[in-house]
Amino acid sequence: MKYPGMIAAGPLACALTLAGCQQEAKAPDPVRPVQSVLLEADHSADAIAVGVIEPRYKTNLGFRVLGRLTTRPVYVGDLVKEGQTVGIIDSTALELAVRSAKGQLAKADAQFATVRATEERQRTLITTDATTKQTLDNAEQARAGAEATVAHEQANLTKAVEQLGYSQIKADFAGVVTAVGAEVGQVVSPGQSVVTIARPDIREAVVDIGEDFPLPLEVGLPFTVGLQLLPAVQVEGRVREIAPQADPLTRLRRVRIALSNPPDNFRLGATVTAKLDKQQGQVLRLPASAVLAKDGANFVWVVDQPADTVALQKVDVVADPTGARVTGGLALGTRVVTAGIHSLTQGQRVRIEQDDKP
């Protein structure tokens, strides 16, 4: 049995249910508290490395033979020309070797002349059957042996004369003497450094850099190099060479920076300071937790502070021991979410709870 009141209650309940569903659908998403970081330039990029000016090209000159140093006419700081003699050892033994080689060569030449004349006589006698074919063959063999002896003694003489030339060392190029390794009267061994000569026209800065440097070291990294006593005098340079491993005691790596047209104030041995140039100095860093890897690319949630909403933005980052270094896609002053990045949605409202350090 149906009552009128029951018939009216059915549509009313449906209407109330529909109104409740519409109210739930229109309810805004809850504001989510997040941790974030405000991107600022990494002040550690202002780190300065101290070093000295050194020549790119230098050579250690030494003798090729053992001997007693009798003359060393140059000292540290002297300018030398190409081909200038910078050291002489006692050449008495070498001169005697040349004389002996000349005597042996003269003896070999005399023996060769004798056996060659004997061969010619035998060759003449064989035409009249006054000698035997065996005798002629022996004469030819003796002539060939004497000829080989002459060639051998000639080579010995050439070697002795060349070794006599080793009694002097000459500069391979014009430069400045930066070190001496032996004094007059000292017996020097073959290969021992006697004089070090450097080319002052091509100079570079040599610095030692630790593992805490803000950027990874790589060839071509630009630096600004200045004199420690005259900070206003600066030149641009780029990394030319990096030591493959750090020093086991200091844990520093030696870096050579090629300089672009250094002034005369950049003398060899001068103390210099090297720091990253202004463009490289703006280093932006993010915690590793702020980077979202998706579809082969990297993204971050950027906070739109006037609207307090988040938006997904693609960035270029490079991983390093301190987190992630931003190489593109973000600017200074951008606020980035650093925690809970996997559960945010595009346009979601957030509330800044805490700032993290980049």
Side-chain angles (χ1 to χ4, degrees):
M1 180 177 182
K2 298 181 179 180
Y3 297 94
M6 296 178 61
I7 297 175
L12 180 59
C14 292
L16 292 175
T17 301
L18 181 61
C21 293
Q22 292 177 351
Q23 291 178 357
E24 291 179 359
K26 294 180 180 179
D29 294 335
V31 178
R32 178 177 175 180
V34 295
Q35 295 180 357
S36 64
V37 64
L38 189 64
L39 290 186
E40 297 178 351
D42 191 349
H43 296 291
S44 62
D46 298 331
I48 295 178
V50 179
V52 296
I53 296 296
E54 291 188 3
R56 179 182 298 186
Y57 304 109
K58 64 180 180 180
T59 181
N60 297 322
L61 299 179
F63 295 98
R64 300 187 185 184
V65 293
L66 178 70
R68 182 176 63 88
L69 185 64
T70 58
T71 304
R72 200 208 65 212
V74 295
Y75 299 86
V76 174
D78 289 351
L79 296 176
V80 298
K81 300 179 181 180
E82 182 179 357
Q84 179 178 339
T85 301
V86 295
I88 301 176
I89 61 173
D90 185 5
S91 60
T92 302
L94 299 176
E95 291 175 354
L96 293 175
V98 172
R99 290 183 182 180
S100 176
K102 288 182 177 179
Q104 292 295 330
L105 177 60
K107 179 181 177 180
D109 284 336
Q111 292 177 348
F112 175 68
T114 300
V115 296
R116 183 174 59 180
T118 301
E119 179 191 9
E120 291 177 355
R121 286 196 302 270
Q122 294 298 326
R123 197 175 298 280
T124 302
L125 293 174
I126 196 69
T127 58
T128 59
D129 295 330
T131 187
T132 63
K133 185 67 169 59
Q134 180 65 41
T135 304
L136 177 60
D137 291 343
N138 292 339
E140 291 178 349
Q141 184 177 2
R143 189 266 310 161
E147 187 176 6
T149 302
V150 170
H152 177 71
E153 296 301 337
Q154 182 64 54
N156 287 341
L157 176 59
T158 303
K159 180 180 179 181
V161 171
E162 182 180 1
Q163 288 187 336
L164 179 60
Y166 294 161
S167 63
Q168 299 182 5
I169 50 176
K170 299 181 180 181
D172 296 330
F173 50 81
V176 59
V177 177
T178 59
V180 293
E183 300 294 336
V184 174
Q186 180 179 345
V187 177
V188 293
S189 302
Q192 178 181 345
S193 177
V194 176
V195 177
T196 300
I197 299 178
R199 289 181 56 179
D201 54 335
I202 304 180
R203 291 155 287 168
E204 59 187 11
V206 180
V207 298
D208 294 326
I209 296 178
E211 298 178 351
D212 57 346
F213 197 70
L215 288 180
L217 294 174
E218 56 185 13
V219 175
L221 186 66
F223 277 84
T224 299
V225 181
L227 291 174
Q228 193 173 49
L229 296 180
L230 298 173
V233 181
Q234 297 181 345
V235 296
E236 301 300 321
R238 292 183 177 274
V239 173
R240 183 184 67 86
E241 179 181 295
I242 304 172
Q245 61 183 5
D247 185 271
L249 297 179
T250 63
R251 304 309 304 166
L252 300 177
R253 299 176 69 183
R254 178 143 295 186
V255 178
R256 293 185 174 271
I257 303 174
L259 304 178
S260 177
N261 298 323
D264 294 337
N265 293 336
F266 280 68
R267 297 184 178 91
L268 297 179
T271 304
V272 295
T273 58
K275 61 181 180 180
L276 293 170
D277 66 2
K278 297 180 180 179
Q279 296 180 353
Q280 295 291 332
Q282 299 294 335
V283 180
L284 303 181
R285 296 188 181 278
L286 285 173
S289 60
V291 181
L292 176 64
K294 183 179 180 181
D295 298 332
N298 294 315
F299 299 87
V300 295
W301 288 103
V302 177
V303 180
D304 182 8
Q305 292 187 281
D308 291 333
T309 59
V310 294
L312 196 63
Q313 183 169 332
K314 184 178 179 180
V315 294
D316 297 324
V317 295
V318 176
D320 59 24
T322 61
R325 177 168 54 90
V326 180
T327 59
L330 291 177
L332 286 173
T334 304
R335 185 170 290 277
V336 178
V337 177
T338 59
I341 60 176
H342 296 280
S343 57
L344 293 175
T345 57
Q346 187 76 13
Q348 184 176 358
R349 295 189 60 194
V350 295
R351 182 176 71 253
I352 306 301
E353 290 286 339
Q354 180 180 354
D355 277 357
D356 293 336
K357 293 183 179 181

